[in-house]
Amino acid sequence: MATAWNALHALCTDVVTAVGLPAPSHPSELGARLTSLGASPYTVMVIERLHRLSADALREPAAVTPNAGRGTMSTPALPLGRMSNG
């Protein structure tokens, strides 16, 4: 989980810095930077929830296993729209 979060955070930070914005100094700043670039509130919410899930996994790995706390860390299904290849 931590590896996945680190990869997502690095990708988002690369996007933010590529357009000239300062890199977030704390994960909580990432959402604001992405919002300023036009990310939807839903996208930012999912990223923030993934960050919390990663932090929870580091603190208490058993809390984020598939059978732990059914529904407590659930994220609504992402709407899968048409993806363009360009």
Side-chain angles (χ1 to χ4, degrees):
M1 186 69 211
T3 301
W5 167 252
N6 289 336
L8 177 61
H9 186 264
L11 174 71
C12 291
T13 299
D14 287 348
V15 168
V16 166
T17 58
V19 298
L21 293 174
S25 59
H26 189 272
S28 64
E29 296 174 355
L30 186 59
R33 301 277 198 290
L34 293 172
T35 299
S36 73
L37 295 175
S40 74
Y42 185 76
T43 297
V44 172
M45 178 198 71
V46 169
I47 290 170
E48 289 172 348
R49 291 184 81 176
L50 289 171
H51 175 249
R52 285 193 305 271
L53 182 62
S54 174
D56 289 348
L58 290 173
R59 275 194 312 276
E60 190 176 342
V64 294
T65 60
N67 294 324
R70 284 258 181 236
T72 58
M73 290 300 293
S74 66
T75 300
L78 297 173
L80 298 176
R82 267 182 81 103
M83 307 255 325
S84 67
N85 291 333

